[in-house]
Amino acid sequence: TYATLTNLPTVNNSLRMTSANGYVFVLGGNSGSFLSTVYSAKVSADGTLSAWNTLTNLPVIIDLQGVATYNNYLFVTGGMTTGNASLSTVYSAKINLDGTIGSWNTLNTLPALIRSHGSVAANGYLFVVGGTDQISTVYSAQINGNGTIGTWATLSTMPARNQDSLVLATNGYLFVLGGLNGVPAVVSTVYSTPIKSDGTIGTWQTLNTLPQLLIAPTGGVANGYIYVAGGSTGNSNATAVSTVYSAKVNVDGTVGSWAVLNTLPSLVWLTAATTVNGYLFVAGGINSAGTSLSTVYSVPLQSDAFAFGTTNNFTAGNLLDIWNNNSSKVSLDYAGNLDRHGDIDNPIINKALKPKDNDPDYCIECFECNTMNTLMSRRCIGNKDEKRCDHWFEWKDCHGCGT
């Protein structure tokens, strides 16, 4: 069930939302005019939010920009500003432990003016994918420890020109969902490509299509699943949707069948979303009547259901998590790890938890808290909200020997 949370400080569409360190951040957007505002709110264990805090403004009024977080830095790429002009500027700001941010730094500009694109950070690189006018270009730049970036590289192009798609990164793959192609026409296509350790990408593959055509969908990743929410089937307010879908991410970068989940409380597009601590948060947007919104919703993301007094079947290797009063009380991992490795304090497990000098050949990044883990890790070793991160990695084969 969706919970209605504290409204944004203003109505806002074409905004961007992300999360880090137990906080959600809302950047830029449009309330009838372009915005430079940045807000943050702390996420509680029950999926509610604290009051919104007003942070350091962006250096420019902007919407339709790309936003990503990595290693406690916020990154903003491209976007649209006064006169509907596209931008090539890139900014970063340090994220403090209290959910505030430092001053904005201007970084190496993009190779092109771009908006309506997707930005994600993974494996120490910042990626920019697609954008106006329906381009297929993909760029990457290495992220330095001080929040700056290296020179932009042009990577393998997408199979089709695309803008206003949902771009995500998880488990070493880049995903592009829906959008507007070069015809232009709204599409339901889903693509993925492996992210290499040097910031380049591999061959694109076409995956199971979304259940409907979607432009400007939003969503996130959590617990090994991709979530897609809202958007429009016809590139207008009148065709805004309230649908929410999920699909399991497989280790080879494919996705399972799309499941239809509980719909959003309203028909909405040009909205923003992020996933934090097992919850999906959706903010702002435009409804089917063309009205900009300030509403914020959250909903718990559940995987397997468990009913007492019945027979329950679970796929071997899954995590059974028992919740009570919105808090995880018991987690049972019956994949046979204790049989293989012995007691939980076994030195083999402790050794496996420690990454080797953050070497990308031996490590994988947690998309919940951006901590580097070894490829043998089951649960992330990072910290969130003064406790251990609750993200679990899911592998079907051994990354050491292929077994």
Side-chain angles (χ1 to χ4, degrees):
T1 302
Y2 288 88
T4 301
L5 310 182
T6 304
N7 281 3
L8 294 170
T10 182
V11 295
N12 199 342
N13 69 81
S14 305
L15 67 165
R16 295 297 184 258
M17 192 176 194
T18 187
S19 57
N21 297 340
Y23 287 82
V24 296
F25 297 86
V26 171
L27 301 92
N30 198 308
S31 62
S33 59
F34 296 103
L35 299 173
S36 62
T37 48
V38 181
Y39 305 109
S40 73
K42 186 174 178 60
V43 179
S44 300
D46 61 357
T48 58
L49 296 175
S50 69
W52 291 98
N53 297 311
T54 302
L55 310 183
T56 307
N57 278 3
L58 290 161
V60 63
I61 54 175
I62 193 173
D63 71 5
L64 300 177
Q65 74 275 21
V67 168
T69 60
Y70 191 83
N71 198 24
N72 294 324
Y73 280 89
L74 270 173
F75 295 89
V76 177
T77 63
M80 184 169 68
T81 189
T82 305
N84 294 339
S86 295
L87 300 171
S88 61
T89 46
V90 181
Y91 305 106
S92 73
K94 185 170 179 59
I95 301 171
N96 301 315
L97 292 177
D98 61 357
T100 60
I101 59 174
S103 57
W104 290 96
N105 298 308
T106 303
L107 311 183
N108 292 333
T109 58
L110 289 161
L113 302 170
I114 191 171
R115 68 177 187 263
S116 301
H117 57 288
S119 287
V120 293
N123 294 354
Y125 285 83
L126 181 62
F127 294 86
V128 170
V129 182
T132 304
D133 287 316
Q134 302 96 42
I135 62 175
S136 59
T137 315
V138 182
Y139 303 109
S140 75
Q142 188 168 22
I143 300 172
N144 302 316
N146 62 356
T148 60
I149 58 173
T151 303
W152 288 97
T154 303
L155 310 183
S156 303
T157 56
M158 289 185 291
R161 296 164 59 190
N162 205 331
Q163 70 176 67
D164 292 305
S165 55
L166 174 61
V167 178
L168 301 169
T170 182
N171 285 357
Y173 283 83
L174 197 62
F175 293 85
V176 179
L177 304 97
L180 188 73
N181 69 11
V183 173
V186 180
V187 297
S188 61
T189 49
V190 180
Y191 305 112
S192 76
T193 181
I195 300 171
K196 299 182 180 180
S197 60
D198 62 356
T200 59
I201 55 177
T203 303
W204 289 92
Q205 54 184 336
T206 302
L207 312 183
N208 292 333
T209 57
L210 293 166
Q212 63 180 344
L213 305 174
L214 276 181
I215 183 174
T218 189
V221 290
N223 303 325
Y225 285 80
I226 287 176
Y227 294 87
V228 179
S232 174
T233 59
N235 199 17
S236 72
N237 306 324
T239 53
V241 300
S242 60
T243 48
V244 181
Y245 305 110
S246 73
K248 185 173 179 59
V249 179
N250 301 317
V251 294
D252 60 356
T254 60
V255 296
S257 300
W258 291 98
V260 180
L261 308 183
N262 292 339
T263 57
L264 294 166
S266 64
L267 303 167
V268 65
W269 78 312
L270 298 179
T271 183
T274 189
T275 53
V276 189
N277 293 346
Y279 284 84
L280 174 68
F281 294 85
V282 181
I286 299 179
N287 66 16
S288 57
T291 304
S292 289
L293 306 173
S294 61
T295 48
V296 182
Y297 304 109
S298 74
V299 64
L301 302 174
Q302 301 169 339
S303 53
D304 293 317
F306 183 85
F308 290 97
T310 64
T311 299
N312 297 271
N313 297 315
F314 299 92
T315 303
N318 278 0
L319 176 73
L320 171 59
D321 208 11
I322 300 177
W323 287 60
N324 185 36
N325 292 328
N326 292 314
S327 179
S328 179
K329 300 299 183 183
V330 179
S331 295
L332 304 177
D333 179 4
Y334 59 95
N337 292 307
L338 295 181
D339 290 338
R340 295 187 185 94
H341 303 301
D343 185 79
I344 196 67
D345 293 323
N346 189 308
I348 294 176
I349 293 179
N350 293 331
K351 180 179 179 181
L353 287 174
K354 296 180 179 179
K356 183 179 179 181
D357 301 325
N358 285 346
D359 187 332
D361 290 332
Y362 294 89
C363 303
I364 187 169
E365 177 197 359
C366 171
F367 57 78
E368 295 280 356
C369 70
N370 301 129
T371 299
M372 298 301 289
N373 293 258
T374 70
L375 294 176
M376 294 176 282
S377 297
R378 281 280 286 161
R379 182 179 179 182
C380 176
I381 62 172
N383 291 314
K384 289 182 64 176
D385 300 331
E386 300 180 354
K387 62 181 181 180
R388 187 172 176 185
C389 178
D390 60 2
H391 175 64
W392 292 79
F393 297 100
E394 296 185 6
W395 301 109
K396 300 300 183 184
D397 55 5
C398 173
H399 285 260
C401 65
T403 302

